[in-house]
Amino acid sequence: MSVSADVSTPSVNLYCNETAGDALCSSNDGGISEINSAYLPVDIDESYIDNILVSELHQMPETELITRFPDIPESGSAHQDTLNWMLKVHAYYRFRPETAYLSANYFHCFILSHTLQKGKGWPLQLLAVACLSLAAKLEETRVPSLLDIQTLEPRFLFKPSTVRRMELLVMGSLKWRLHIITPFSFLHYFIAKLSHLSPRSKNLILAHSSDVIISTCRVMNILAYTPSTIAAAAVLWVTDQSIGCPKLECFHNRMNKEMVKGCYNLIKQNTPQLSRGKALDATMPGKCFAKKCWRKDFKSSQDMSPSKC
């Protein structure tokens, strides 16, 4: 395994001491399929939230690393095509929402600290396979083989030995810190703060918020925001709330309003086909009736107690 002498951004030879023949070209992949969010039954108390709000700050990448990549196209690029493939496979195997977030997080963090070989599509694909495999091994109870996970017509197919070497490279880059705090650690807690909602409505908000969070995985700049900020912005977006509404202050007294606003705007910018409060209606037809149910409950709660949590 060789690394270049570039001090600022190491360039990695992703062949991992194997021949180029290990990457067998396949056909191109298509669009994104629907992602099904699962209900996440977790009991969360105040002390737990206090602790992870402090801990999440220590896992954030350096700001200057993120700002080095402001010009990555949001669609139509090899980078986005690779992320789209990852999310398609995530949906195909019905992986947990955390798996999508972790795999994209590993993918982006590696790119921030390494320069991949340009002009070739396979380094990104190999990285995607390794990141998705690592995330699945961490979160899932049933994990497909390294060959089976390369499904849905990937552009390249890699031998398991090559993927395993790439996994080691990714883990080393992450300093073996694979188990990180995600926005899903906060969703139940924040949604529970929304008063006068039926359990059914809260479950629907949870599912829609999870899908919004997964959709943001395509955007590298999401790394600039803490998991709690992403969770709060997603809930506000799904429930059609403004940043200045009292609900934000009710989430937690440590929430940074300006950071939530920035994340909220990032979600808005990257879902141009959707209007406020209608996240996923266009991509999840058949959920319109459910959406109307929880939005009716939410509107009633605003009428009953507009300034209370």
Side-chain angles (χ1 to χ4, degrees):
M1 189 179 301
S2 62
V3 180
S4 74
D6 186 348
V7 177
S8 58
T9 54
S11 178
V12 182
N13 180 355
L14 299 186
Y15 282 122
C16 304
N17 295 329
E18 302 194 27
T19 66
D22 289 344
L24 306 178
C25 184
S26 182
S27 58
N28 293 332
D29 54 324
I32 291 298
S33 60
E34 175 183 330
I35 293 184
N36 298 315
S37 296
Y39 178 67
L40 312 173
V42 179
D43 293 327
I44 300 178
D45 57 25
E46 295 285 346
S47 60
Y48 173 77
I49 293 297
D50 289 339
N51 289 334
I52 61 176
L53 278 170
V54 174
S55 300
E56 69 175 354
L57 297 176
H58 301 296
Q59 71 181 39
M60 299 297 293
E62 297 180 11
T63 303
E64 57 267 26
L65 289 179
I66 301 174
T67 55
R68 282 171 45 201
F69 291 86
D71 299 325
I72 292 181
E74 295 179 0
S75 62
S77 68
H79 178 270
Q80 286 300 310
D81 289 344
T82 305
L83 284 170
N84 288 343
W85 174 83
M86 290 172 64
L87 295 183
K88 284 173 58 181
V89 176
H90 169 271
Y92 176 80
Y93 282 111
R94 298 181 180 273
F95 287 156
R96 303 178 70 211
E98 290 94 335
T99 303
Y101 181 86
L102 287 176
S103 60
N105 184 278
Y106 300 161
F107 183 87
H108 284 143
C109 287
F110 188 90
I111 290 178
L112 286 176
S113 57
H114 296 79
T115 299
L116 301 182
Q117 298 178 15
K118 297 182 179 180
K120 300 179 180 180
W122 66 264
L124 281 174
Q125 183 68 33
L126 176 56
L127 176 60
V129 174
C131 291
L132 185 58
S133 173
L134 287 173
K137 290 173 183 176
L138 192 68
E139 291 291 337
E140 306 298 333
T141 56
R142 299 181 63 182
V143 181
S145 70
L146 292 178
L147 283 178
D148 289 339
I149 205 170
Q150 300 180 68
T151 187
L152 301 181
E153 301 182 348
R155 296 178 60 201
F156 302 92
L157 184 65
F158 303 95
K159 290 182 178 179
S161 57
T162 304
V163 178
R164 282 192 290 269
R165 289 174 181 270
M166 189 66 216
E167 287 178 334
L168 288 173
L169 190 57
V170 171
M171 289 189 287
S173 177
L174 297 172
K175 300 180 180 179
W176 296 81
R177 297 171 182 170
L178 302 182
H179 191 20
I180 62 174
I181 298 169
T182 74
F184 302 102
S185 303
F186 300 92
L187 274 187
H188 279 83
Y189 179 81
F190 289 163
I191 294 173
K193 294 291 186 177
L194 304 177
S195 59
H196 305 294
L197 291 180
S198 66
R200 181 188 182 191
S201 295
K202 290 186 177 182
N203 289 348
L204 289 169
I205 294 173
L206 174 64
H208 283 241
S209 298
S210 297
D211 287 320
V212 169
I213 291 170
I214 291 174
S215 72
T216 65
C217 291
R218 301 180 180 89
V219 186
M220 181 174 288
N221 286 344
I222 201 68
L223 293 178
Y225 301 99
T226 62
S228 61
T229 299
I230 299 171
V235 172
L236 291 176
W237 169 264
V238 167
T239 55
D240 200 11
Q241 298 297 292
S242 64
I243 298 299
C245 76
K247 298 295 180 185
L248 178 57
E249 298 176 359
C250 295
F251 284 164
H252 199 280
N253 57 15
R254 291 185 180 177
M255 297 304 301
N256 185 314
K257 181 178 178 180
E258 291 304 315
M259 292 297 290
V260 176
K261 181 179 180 180
C263 187
Y264 184 93
N265 289 333
L266 186 63
I267 292 174
K268 182 178 180 180
Q269 293 167 7
N270 287 276
T271 52
Q273 75 279 17
L274 305 177
S275 59
R276 287 183 62 216
K278 296 182 180 179
L280 303 182
D281 283 354
T283 57
M284 300 175 67
K287 295 254 178 145
C288 294
F289 176 75
K291 175 188 72 70
K292 291 178 181 178
C293 290
W294 69 255
R295 291 195 72 189
K296 180 179 180 181
D297 283 352
F298 195 83
K299 186 178 185 301
S300 298
S301 73
Q302 289 180 304
D303 295 338
M304 294 174 62
S305 54
S307 62
K308 297 181 180 179
C309 293

